[in-house]
Amino acid sequence: MPDETILQSKVPSHQSGKTLLDYLSGRFRYQTKESWNLLITQGKVTVNERTVPPQQIVQKGDRVAYRVVLKEPPVDRNIQILHEEEAFLVAVKPGQLPSHADGNFIKNTFIYLITERLRDKGWKGDVRLVHRLDRETSGLMVVAKNREAHLKLTRQFESGSAAKEYLAVAKGIVSGGKFEVNGAIGRDAASQISVRQKVVPEGTPLSKPSLTYFEKTQNLKEASLLRCIPKTGRTNQIRVHLDSIGHSLVGDKLYGRTDEEFLAFIRHVKAGGDPAFQGEMEVSRHLLHASKLSFDHPESGSRMTFESPLPKDIQEFIKKHQ
């Protein structure tokens, strides 16, 4: 019989008072409400180590556990640690690797693999993500190794005092050298994809201001290599901004594509397919790389800067399309 993995979640205060079914189906949407109902009635879900019915009310601090046989899609596990010390480490995440657990990905994630690597070396302390990159975005990431370092580093990323730079390959020849995209980002109301966002008029409900500086560094055949400096930290910010000017990322499965094209990709992955498949895409992932990162040391306060060159797949695309 295949080994089962136990996934656990502690109920936060704002979810207290919901039924177990509503809590699970609302927080973990990779399963439908009907699927969660079946799993609960089959005894696959427990609350505080007891099986309960779907309408059981959960309270703050309750431990919800779910037994599952994981069938995770393949990922690129080639994580490179550039710098490590007692309080934190800096590593290069490859493309095709989620930062954290999401949907079908639980163990095949950057934070899980980094934690395993540290535990194998005898580390027994905290292992916490300071910030995140999209699954297909490669590049520099910071991991805190104690609570105090996590708090100090996270504040820098949230306040914008940590400086980030990306290199991106965008579709088409972008006009001009240096330019900026400045506008609010909100949900794309015309799309059936709940996670799709767009640049919306200022003052749109639930939107957030955003700003990215861009500099074109090279013209390619029907594409442009850009240096990108986000001054705010919105979800998918660079991808949304490039799509808003008609130059979405090469290989982007969400932006610059129709809803149906994106949903076809999601169905492929949920059926156990390789998330790196090309399909109608010209490359296996979107071409975005977190290339430079600067922040203050969480203990000494000294400024630290790390750089990561373009990975092989982006280099090969550039060479092929010069």
Side-chain angles (χ1 to χ4, degrees):
M1 182 176 178
D3 291 336
E4 288 187 323
T5 296
I6 298 177
L7 307 178
Q8 298 190 63
S9 170
K10 183 178 287 188
V11 178
S13 58
H14 68 278
Q15 300 277 9
S16 183
K18 290 189 174 183
T19 67
L20 175 61
L21 179 59
D22 286 342
Y23 168 70
L24 288 172
S25 59
R27 188 167 185 186
F28 305 107
R29 298 182 181 181
Y30 54 83
Q31 300 271 24
T32 65
K33 192 168 187 175
E34 291 75 17
S35 296
W36 278 122
N37 188 68
L38 180 61
L39 290 166
I40 296 168
T41 56
Q42 288 177 337
K44 297 277 188 181
V45 179
T46 61
V47 176
N48 301 326
E49 301 180 356
R50 295 185 300 108
T51 56
V52 296
Q55 299 307 312
Q56 172 75 25
I57 301 299
V58 295
Q59 304 293 341
K60 175 186 175 182
D62 281 349
R63 300 184 309 279
V64 179
Y66 163 46
R67 289 186 290 114
V68 61
V69 177
L70 294 178
K71 296 179 181 178
E72 299 187 50
V75 295
D76 184 346
R77 293 168 169 253
N78 187 28
I79 299 170
Q80 178 187 6
I81 296 179
L82 296 185
H83 177 89
E84 183 178 0
E85 53 186 90
E86 192 72 12
F88 69 96
L89 64 82
V90 178
V92 178
K93 182 185 84 67
Q96 303 297 357
L97 179 65
S99 294
H100 55 89
D102 181 43
N104 286 15
F105 300 93
I106 304 296
K107 293 183 176 180
N108 285 352
T109 62
F110 172 82
I111 191 60
Y112 188 94
L113 296 173
I114 279 287
T115 301
E116 270 196 332
R117 190 178 298 188
L118 292 176
R119 296 288 185 251
D120 288 344
K121 294 194 298 184
W123 180 254
K124 297 181 181 179
D126 284 353
V127 186
R128 304 187 185 194
L129 282 178
V130 172
H131 61 118
R132 302 173 183 181
L133 293 176
D134 291 338
R135 177 173 60 82
E136 293 189 10
T137 301
S138 56
L140 296 163
M141 293 192 69
V142 185
V143 175
K145 295 171 64 181
N146 63 54
R147 187 174 180 275
E148 185 178 1
H150 181 260
L151 182 63
K152 290 181 178 180
L153 290 166
T154 300
R155 282 176 177 169
Q156 294 184 55
F157 280 84
E158 291 177 345
S159 69
S161 63
K164 299 177 284 184
E165 290 189 18
Y166 294 76
L167 291 171
V169 182
K171 295 177 182 178
I173 304 301
V174 177
S175 60
K178 296 182 179 180
F179 61 98
E180 66 178 53
V181 178
N182 186 3
I185 288 180
R187 188 186 179 284
D188 185 351
S191 172
Q192 61 179 306
I193 310 301
S194 62
V195 296
R196 193 195 294 273
Q197 301 189 86
K198 64 182 294 186
V199 174
V200 296
E202 185 177 350
T204 298
L206 304 180
S207 67
K208 295 181 179 180
S210 62
L211 172 63
T212 307
Y213 295 124
F214 294 95
E215 179 183 4
K216 183 171 63 175
T217 62
Q218 187 177 351
N219 282 333
L220 306 173
K221 293 178 182 176
E222 301 181 351
S224 304
L225 179 62
L226 304 174
R227 176 171 168 254
C228 318
I229 304 176
K231 304 305 289 185
T232 51
R234 310 308 177 206
T235 302
N236 296 346
Q237 178 172 312
I238 292 173
R239 297 166 64 190
V240 173
H241 279 175
L242 287 175
D243 185 53
S244 74
I245 62 170
H247 293 284
S248 56
L249 282 176
V250 170
D252 200 324
K253 298 177 179 68
L254 177 57
Y255 298 99
R257 302 281 171 175
T258 66
D259 282 3
E260 185 49 45
E261 285 172 324
F262 177 72
L263 290 171
F265 166 71
I266 295 300
R267 287 193 292 268
H268 166 85
V269 173
K270 286 191 175 295
D274 186 348
F277 91 119
Q278 286 188 228
E280 296 301 318
M281 305 296 170
E282 58 271 55
V283 290
S284 61
R285 70 165 176 113
H286 63 233
L287 301 188
L288 181 63
H289 180 69
S291 58
K292 188 174 181 180
L293 194 57
S294 298
F295 56 89
D296 296 335
H297 192 286
E299 294 173 349
S300 70
S302 60
R303 195 68 170 174
M304 306 187 75
T305 297
F306 299 91
E307 296 189 50
S308 171
L310 284 171
K312 184 178 179 181
D313 60 342
I314 299 183
Q315 290 185 37
E316 289 178 345
F317 181 91
I318 292 171
K319 183 177 180 180
K320 181 179 178 181
H321 293 82
Q322 284 179 332

